[in-house]
Every structure is written in structure tokens, then in C-alpha cells.
Amino acid sequence: MTRRVVVLGSTGSIGTQTLDVASAQGFEVAAIGARRPSTDLANQARKFPDATVVVAGGNPEERKEFVSDLGRAVLFDDESISAIAALADSVVINGIVGAAGLSATLAALEAGNRVGLANKESLVAGGPLVTEALARGGGELIPVDSEHSAIYQCLVGEATQDVARLVLTASGGPFRGWGRDRLESVTPEQALQHPTWDMGPRVTIDSATLFNKGLEVIEAHFLFGFAYDRIGVVVHPQSVLHSFVEFIDGSWKGHLGHADMRIPIQYAITAPQRAEGIADPFSLGGVTLDFEEPDRDAFPALDLAYAAGRRGGSAPAVLNAADEIAVAAFLEGRIGFLEITEIVERTIDGVPWQAIDEFSDVVEIDREARSFARQLVAETAT
Ligand code: MG
């Protein structure tokens, strides 16, 4: 079984945890890639002296300084990210944040590699392209997101026609139980406090709006090939049951464990086998499991995502791009919490729908949606 790991977005939350898993389990780290030539990346490169190092961004001066500090060859630009994604016989953990992750996913799948996917945009913005690349290249797509990893694991050994419904659990975020009136004055500091998961800033805000769950519904659609009517969401504040599958005979299978991303990361590398965990053993002692329906009025982002998913084509890509702009504006204090979803909705209405047939369609629609959303932010912020 392949244990050569390529880590994309290596300095981010998923990337650093992947390197933790690789160190603990003795997996070979063949390459690491990041956007910025940072001190963190240099430290990772020193820790994995045999890994190829790629930096996608940075200006010429930063690049020069990075190479002379590190004292070893470094590859630069996006093409080199795609090149390490296509390294033969590798498991590529794609933890790149944002739309830039899509080309890496496509390159890895075309090369027949296994992709441990943490980059949501790959499926949300480029779902049809990923599905094609998977079929053409003969690669494998294993989700790293806790909910999708849970569903993936519940589906092992099961036949598609025996599945009634996939159900994603949602923590509900820090504002679970709040109404729209209270949500109006939420600050970035409040929204950045996630009760159960420790994640990057965008996904934390997306958890607070339930946008994240909406994007995950779209991801589940592309990952597992189920219609949107057969993908449900239930709020489960403890984040102990990571998602479950309902079968036609009335049986349910769920996945429980620590809210620790290293577990799904490790499974994406070792699947279908398992390796000893690097987390402490899990125990249900003292744990209560609560479940409730999501509040779709207070958190309209969820239904917005379902609608975009059903429309298909460019709609999910527009949803994603607009959200990224709106979340950034919220974090900068330029717009309010409720305006995040409003800006996304207006962007979906405003940017003309189109089919996604090739990579350039995604790039084009992403650019259009961002500029439309930026305009709306500018109008809203004044
Ligand atoms: Mg998740």
C-alpha cells in the first residue's frame, strides 16, 4: 500500500496535522507545497529533508531569501504544485485553501493518484471536472473532511441501492439557538470561537453561518453521487457523531470519535486499512448526544447552498466565491454577520448561470463572482 504522501497547503491547519500524522506513523513525505515562502514552511522543509519543496507565490526577493535561508533547491509557481500532485504512486493530501486547490486535485486524479481531499472548492466549484478527472485518470478520491470521511467509512462494503439517505451532522456553530435579531450584531471575535473544532478562520465563520454545512452538502453530492433530496443535515452540538447513513432496511450506521482531524487524515492515507491512532482512545463516558433540526430562518445559508447545488453548473462556484469575499469583508469589520449570506444570495442572482465544461469556465466564473461580490461589499460597507 502506498504510504508516500504529498502535502499541499502544508502550513495550513490540515497540512500541519497531516505532517504530524506522517511523523507519528513514519509515512514518507515526498513533497510539501504552500503559497507563501514562510518561516513555517522552512521549518517543515528542515524537518523533512528529503521532501521536494514548492512555493506557489511570493515575490522574487522573498523567494531568493527563502532559498538562501533554506540552503536547498525549491520549486516555484503553480505548475510545480500540479507537478508534485502528480508524483507517481502518491497519496496527495490537498489542504490548499480556496479555488487554487482545484487544479491540484485535477492534476493528482489525472495522474491516477489517491487524493485525500480537504479542499472544499475542488468539489464545490469544480465538481463536474473532478468527477471527469476521476473517471479518466483512474485515481481515488477519499474525503478528509470529518463528515464526509464518516460517510465514506459507513459506506465501505455497502451497495448504493441499499442507501436511503446520507445525513451530515453540524455542530451548529457558536450561535446555535440565536435568532436573527441577536445575530445582527455578532462580531468577528465572537464568530471565530468555534465550540468543538479548531479550524482556519474562513471555515470557522462558515460554520457560524451554516454556510460550511451547505458547502458540505454539495461536496457530498459529488463525492457519493446522491441527489440533494437524499442528503440531510442534523444539528449535533457535541460533534461526537461525525455523520451517518440511513439504509433502506431501517438500519443506520454512524461514525463516532474524537473531533480530531488527524483521524480522517490518517484514514485517507491508510484506507481501506487502519493504523493505530495518534489521538488518545475515545470514550463515551460522560458524553450526552443531542440532536436538533437546523434553524433555516436564522441560518438561510444552508438552503441557499441546497438551491445552488440543485441548479448545478456555475451556481455552486458562484456561491463559494461570493462567500469567500463576504467572509473576508466581515472579518475586516466592513459588513455585518447577516450581510454575509445576503451578499452571497445577491451574487448568485446577479451573475449569469453557465455550464462548467472546462477548467477555464471555473476560473472565469470565480473571477466574475468575486468582482460582483466585491462591488456589493463596497455598496454595503458605505
Ligand atoms: Mg466538516
Side-chain angles (χ1 to χ4, degrees):
M1 190 197 330
T2 304
R3 290 281 195 269
R4 265 159 63 92
V5 184
V6 171
V7 187
L8 304 180
S10 66
T11 53
S13 168
I14 294 293
T16 50
Q17 294 183 82
T18 304
L19 292 174
D20 286 349
V21 169
S23 295
Q25 302 293 8
F27 299 152
E28 180 195 342
V29 176
I32 56 177
R35 179 128 299 268
R36 317 254 11 124
S38 63
T39 313
D40 284 352
L41 182 63
N43 289 337
Q44 291 179 341
R46 287 187 192 100
K47 196 164 171 206
F48 297 94
D50 299 326
T52 301
V53 180
V54 177
V55 176
N59 62 42
E61 239 158 72
E62 291 171 321
R63 289 175 169 197
K64 211 174 142 196
E65 201 185 309
F66 184 78
V67 173
S68 71
D69 280 359
L70 191 60
R72 88 181 202 235
V74 175
L75 301 175
F76 292 100
D77 68 41
D78 285 323
E79 286 70 47
S80 300
I81 292 280
S82 294
I84 58 171
L87 273 182
D89 301 322
S90 302
V91 176
V92 179
I93 302 295
N94 187 352
I96 292 175
V97 175
L102 171 60
S103 48
T105 296
L106 296 175
L109 292 176
E110 298 273 7
N113 278 336
R114 171 183 292 190
V115 175
L117 190 64
N119 172 263
K120 286 190 194 312
E121 289 75 9
S122 289
L123 288 170
V124 172
L129 304 180
V130 170
T131 310
E132 268 172 46
L134 193 55
R136 212 171 29 231
E140 255 184 302
L141 195 54
I142 302 195
V144 162
D145 208 355
S146 61
E147 294 81 357
H148 304 91
S149 176
I151 289 174
Y152 184 93
Q153 293 181 55
C154 291
L155 290 174
V156 168
E158 302 289 351
T160 307
Q161 68 266 24
D162 292 341
V163 175
R165 228 163 61 101
L166 313 177
V167 183
L168 300 167
T169 54
S171 72
F175 310 128
R176 185 175 55 87
W178 291 33
R180 287 185 71 79
D181 47 339
R182 258 184 104 188
L183 289 171
E184 183 111 49
S185 56
V186 157
T187 65
E189 291 69 33
Q190 287 174 300
L192 284 171
Q193 300 300 317
H194 193 277
T196 47
W197 290 96
D198 181 16
M199 306 173 291
R202 183 191 168 198
V203 59
T204 303
I205 301 300
D206 282 347
S207 298
T209 56
L210 284 200
F211 223 101
N212 182 54
K213 207 51 52 179
L215 297 178
E216 288 180 357
V217 166
I218 296 171
E219 280 184 279
H221 166 79
F222 285 111
L223 275 168
F224 305 114
F226 286 87
Y228 286 96
D229 297 344
R230 292 169 69 198
I231 304 170
V233 171
V234 68
V235 172
H236 164 49
Q238 292 86 6
S239 299
V240 166
L241 176 62
H242 299 138
S243 280
F244 57 96
V245 175
E246 299 177 12
F247 293 91
I248 53 171
D249 63 356
S251 299
W252 291 21
K253 274 167 83 173
H255 178 279
L256 294 81
H258 286 297
D260 183 335
M261 286 309 293
R262 293 175 304 175
I263 298 169
I265 289 169
Q266 178 171 300
Y267 183 78
I269 298 169
T270 64
Q273 283 139 350
R274 295 183 187 274
E276 298 244 358
I278 55 170
D280 297 332
F282 177 66
S283 159
L284 273 175
V287 175
T288 307
L289 303 183
D290 295 308
F291 298 94
E292 58 192 63
E293 287 301 314
D295 182 344
R296 298 181 122 91
D297 294 323
F299 303 99
L302 184 59
D303 283 337
L304 204 55
Y306 267 97
R310 289 190 170 102
R311 268 182 95 184
S314 59
V318 171
L319 176 93
N320 176 65
D323 177 61
E324 206 170 306
I325 296 298
V327 166
F330 169 70
L331 287 173
E332 288 162 9
R334 300 180 65 203
I335 62 168
F337 184 76
L338 293 177
E339 284 161 348
I340 298 173
T341 310
E342 282 168 29
I343 282 173
V344 174
E345 183 164 22
R346 289 170 62 195
T347 307
I348 291 184
D349 291 343
V351 175
W353 186 94
Q354 65 172 75
I356 297 292
D357 296 320
E358 47 195 304
F359 186 71
S360 58
D361 295 334
V362 178
V363 175
E364 176 57 24
I365 202 75
D366 185 74
R367 199 187 53 74
E368 245 181 87
R370 273 163 210 274
S371 101
F372 197 95
R374 271 194 206 100
Q375 182 110 18
L376 291 178
V377 166
E379 289 165 15
T380 308
T382 49

